[in-house]
Amino acid sequence: MAGSPLAIGIPMQIHDSITRAALALALLSGCGSPEPEGPLADTAMPLVTSSKLTITAAMVQPDGLRPVAGPYQNLFDEQALVGDPRAGTGSNPLTTWGDVIFNDAAYPMGLIIDLGAPHDLTDIAVFDTFDSGTVSFAVGEPGAWTPMTSITLTRWQAWWVVPVTQRTRYIHLSRTRYAGMNEVVIYGAPVTGEPPANLPPTVSAGADQTVVLPTNTVTLTGTATDSDGTVVARQWTQVAGPNTATLTGATALTATASGLVQGLYAFELTATDDDGATASDRTQVHVRPAATGRGTVQEVYRSSSTPGGYGHVLYLPPGYEEGENWPVVFFLHGMGEQGNGDSAELKWVRRNGPLAYIDREGKDYPFILVAPQTGRSGFWSAYEVQHHLDPFFEHILSTLKTDRKRVYLTGLSMGGAGTFNYASRFPAKLAAAIPVCTGGYGATAADALSIVQADLPLWASHGLLDNDIFYTATAAWFTHFGQTLGGTGTVMDTYPSPAITATAFFRPGTGKWEWIAGQTNTDSTGAGPVNPLLFTLLHDGNHYIWDRIYKEPKVFAWMLAQQRP
C-alpha cells in the first residue's frame, strides 16, 4: 500500500541520499514510493539514478484551458544559473512569473511541458518567490492528466525539492493566484528498454463505521488502483465478527454487509492486478446496541456569548450520553428561514430538511445535528462563513462529544450556496459536503481547486427544471472541478438526451464526465468515482427537491462512510 502523502522540501545536501534510500526500500517492501500529494500515474516506476533535465522555452506552452498571462518563460530561463538545487549548488534565480492579473477567475493558469520522449521522473524543484499560492504538477497527456504533487508556497526566496516517482513524456504545471515562482527544475532519466518491476495495487477498505441497532446493514466502499497496470479482481471477505454477516456484491469495490448483530466486525478488501500481485486493507464496523427512547431536540436561542452569535437548533441522537465521538452534521437553512434566533423565529429552521423529519415523522439519526439560523442580512456568504460560521462550528465541536474526523456539512438553496462557500474555504475540516439546489452562482476556479486539492468528498444535487436558481449554478462548480482535474469542456457536454435523472462521475482517463443513470454514488461495476465528486441532476425536479435528497437512504449512508484521516 502507498505511504502517506507528503509535500515537503528536503535539505539540499541530504535530499539525494534520502530519496535513493526511500526508493530502494520501496522496491524491497513492495509498498510503492513516497508520495508528496496525488496518486501515482499509470506507468510509475522507481529509479536508482537521475539527473537534472534540460528544459527550454520551446518545450513549454500554455495548456489552452484559460489564458496564461505574464512571462511564464521565466520559469525555465535560468537553468544554468541555478545549478543543481537538489545538491545545494548554484545561484538563486532572479526572474519570476508572478501575478499580473488580480482576479481569482483567471486562475488556475496552466502550462504543458513536453520532454520529447518518456522519462522517469524523480524530483521536482521550485524556487518560491515570496507568495502563498499553490503550484500543482500532473502527468499523462493533454486531456488525461493524473495528479502528481502539489506545493503550497509558504517560503521566502527558497527552494522546494519534492521527490516523485513517475514515468511520463508530458508534465502539466498549474498555478493558483499568489503562486509566484522564479524557476522550476525537473530531475529524471530517459526511459530505457528494461521493463519496470511490477508494483502491487494500492487498496483502501474505507473508513471505519459505526451503526446503531436496529440498523443491521452497512455499505462497504473501497478503492483499488494499480500504478503500473490494471486491477483485474476485487474481493471482500469477513475476517472477524460476532456472527457471519451476509456479503452482497463481494467482488465489487462497493459491497453490502447485512445481518449484523451487536459487536465489532472486520472486513478485508483484496485487489489483484494484471500481473498477479495482490494487496489488502481492512475496515471495522462497530454495531452498537439499540438506544432506548428517542433523540432530543433543543432550541438554543441567540446569545452574544456564543461564537458567531447564532441561535441554533441542536439534535442529540438516542444514546448520546452513553456514547462518545459522535459524527456531526451541520445544516444550513434556506432564505425563507432567516430569523433573529429568538424564541419566536428560531423554530423556522425546523421547517425543512432533517429537522422537519424528526419533528413530523418521528425520524432519528445516528449523528448530532446542528442547524444555526442566520439573520435577514446574512446569506451564508464567503465573509460570513469565514468570520462567523467557522468560529461557531469550532464552538460546537469543542463543546459536544464529537468526532472531528467525521464532520459533515449540508444545506439547501441559500444553504447549499453556503455549503459550497464553507467547503471551499475550510475543506480540510470536513469529511464530506452535500449542497442541495445551491442558491447562488458563485462558482470559481480557485474555490473549486481548493476542494479538489483537499480531496473533499462532495455530492451535489439540483433539479433540471429549477426556475428559482437554474441548475447551471451547480453545474458550473463541476465544470471547474473537471478542468482542475485536467479535463476539457463542461460537465453538461456529456449529459444524456433525452434528459434522465443521472449522476456525473469524472473519468481522468478521458478528461470527461460520465453520467450514470439514477441518483447513485456507484457505477455499474459497483465502483465510485476516482475523485469523490458527484453531481446528481433530477430531470423532473424543480427547486424544492430536498426531500428527495435527504430521504434517499444512500445519501446519508454515503456521507457517514466518509472520514478524514
Side-chain angles (χ1 to χ4, degrees):
M1 295 174 59
S4 300
L6 60 136
I8 58 175
I10 306 296
M12 312 311 172
Q13 294 84 353
I14 62 175
H15 171 273
D16 194 54
S17 60
I18 291 176
T19 302
R20 303 299 172 262
L23 293 173
L25 178 62
L27 282 170
L28 292 173
S29 65
C31 294
S33 60
E35 294 179 28
E37 286 184 11
L40 294 177
D42 287 344
T43 54
M45 67 171 288
L47 285 178
V48 177
T49 60
S50 68
S51 60
K52 176 181 168 183
L53 303 181
T54 300
I55 308 295
T56 66
M59 301 165 64
V60 184
Q61 62 180 352
D63 62 9
L65 297 181
R66 56 177 50 81
V68 173
Y72 65 84
Q73 299 88 347
N74 287 350
L75 296 183
F76 306 98
D77 67 339
E78 299 174 290
Q79 298 284 295
L81 174 69
V82 299
D84 187 351
R86 189 174 64 179
T89 63
S91 302
N92 287 345
L94 303 176
T95 62
T96 186
W97 182 30
D99 292 353
V100 297
I101 295 180
F102 302 95
N103 182 350
D104 286 339
Y107 298 86
M109 296 181 185
L111 306 173
I112 296 174
I113 305 168
D114 182 358
L115 300 177
H119 282 66
D120 290 318
L121 308 184
T122 60
D123 305 270
I124 300 279
V126 175
F127 192 86
D128 186 341
T129 302
F130 56 78
D131 281 340
S132 58
T134 299
V135 57
S136 301
F137 295 88
V139 296
E141 59 185 17
W145 298 112
T146 298
M148 176 168 57
T149 190
S150 294
I151 306 170
T152 299
L153 303 177
T154 57
R155 299 177 177 174
W156 183 284
Q157 295 286 304
W159 283 101
W160 294 83
V161 182
V162 179
V164 298
T165 308
Q166 303 286 359
R167 173 171 290 179
T168 188
R169 170 177 172 174
Y170 299 98
I171 301 171
H172 185 241
L173 182 158
S174 177
R175 56 152 295 187
T176 67
R177 186 177 173 185
Y178 304 120
M181 297 168 282
N182 284 35
E183 199 77 9
V184 173
V185 174
I186 300 170
Y187 294 87
V191 173
T192 68
E194 299 177 4
N198 181 47
L199 298 176
T202 299
V203 181
S204 171
D208 295 342
Q209 301 183 59
T210 299
V211 297
V212 179
L213 294 172
T215 300
N216 65 350
T217 300
V218 296
T219 300
L220 305 172
T221 303
T223 61
T225 59
D226 189 37
S227 63
D228 57 356
T230 59
V231 173
V232 297
R234 309 151 189 85
Q235 182 66 56
W236 285 97
T237 56
Q238 180 182 341
V239 294
N243 73 338
T244 301
T246 300
L247 282 172
T248 305
T251 58
L253 289 174
T254 300
T256 300
S258 57
L260 306 180
V261 299
Q262 181 180 341
L264 184 64
Y265 292 81
F267 297 95
E268 183 173 84
L269 174 62
T270 300
T272 305
D273 70 14
D274 51 353
D275 284 318
T278 62
S280 301
D281 189 38
R282 293 185 180 184
T283 187
Q284 293 185 331
V285 177
H286 187 192
V287 182
R288 290 177 172 168
T292 58
R294 288 202 58 202
T296 61
V297 179
Q298 177 185 3
E299 294 184 0
V300 182
Y301 302 123
R302 183 177 181 179
S303 168
S304 59
S305 63
T306 301
Y310 295 106
H312 59 282
V313 178
L314 171 65
Y315 167 80
L316 299 178
Y320 172 79
E321 293 299 333
E322 296 78 14
E324 58 184 56
N325 296 328
W326 288 89
V328 184
V329 177
F330 290 100
F331 171 76
L332 304 183
H333 61 75
M335 183 176 292
E337 290 73 55
Q338 291 169 303
N340 59 23
D342 65 8
S343 58
E345 297 184 357
L346 180 59
K347 60 187 175 184
W348 296 344
V349 174
R350 303 168 71 162
R351 289 173 176 170
N352 296 305
L355 284 170
Y357 316 142
I358 293 170
D359 290 343
R360 297 197 296 259
E361 302 174 14
K363 180 70 176 176
D364 276 306
Y365 293 102
F367 49 75
I368 298 169
L369 178 63
V370 184
Q373 184 179 47
T374 191
R376 290 175 178 80
S377 60
F379 299 94
W380 308 126
S381 66
Y383 180 89
E384 180 178 359
V385 301
Q386 182 166 351
H387 296 284
H388 300 291
L389 194 62
D390 182 60
F392 171 73
F393 284 2
E394 288 295 324
H395 166 71
I396 293 295
L397 294 173
S398 62
T399 303
L400 301 175
K401 296 190 290 185
T402 62
D403 181 356
R404 283 185 176 264
K405 293 183 179 180
R406 303 181 71 196
V407 178
Y408 310 100
L409 178 60
T410 185
L412 59 86
S413 193
M414 183 181 77
T419 299
F420 273 120
N421 282 335
Y422 187 91
S424 61
R425 281 151 185 83
F426 302 100
K429 293 188 177 185
L430 299 176
I434 302 178
V436 180
C437 57
T438 182
Y441 297 94
T444 69
D447 287 347
L449 178 64
S450 174
I451 291 172
V452 169
Q453 289 183 331
D455 201 30
L456 173 65
L458 185 146
W459 190 350
S461 301
H462 216 113
L464 183 65
L465 307 181
D466 188 343
N467 288 323
D468 294 88
I469 300 293
F470 297 132
Y471 73 87
T472 52
T474 298
W477 279 98
F478 285 81
T479 292
H480 286 310
F481 290 148
Q483 292 174 354
T484 298
L485 291 166
T488 58
T490 76
V491 68
M492 297 305 297
D493 288 346
T494 52
Y495 182 67
S497 179
I500 62 170
T501 292
T503 303
F505 288 40
F506 183 74
R507 301 304 195 189
T510 63
K512 302 291 185 182
W513 292 90
E514 179 185 0
W515 288 86
I516 311 298
Q519 184 181 354
T520 181
N521 61 318
T522 60
D523 61 20
S524 59
T525 70
V530 175
N531 304 97
L533 301 167
L534 300 160
F535 174 28
T536 295
L537 190 58
L538 306 178
H539 77 289
D540 56 349
N542 56 20
H543 188 62
Y544 307 97
I545 62 169
W546 41 83
D547 285 352
R548 294 174 64 177
I549 307 305
Y550 293 131
K551 291 187 178 183
E552 170 52 59
K554 64 169 68 81
V555 173
F556 279 162
W558 171 87
M559 177 190 74
L560 292 172
Q562 313 304 319
Q563 180 172 317
R564 275 294 174 194

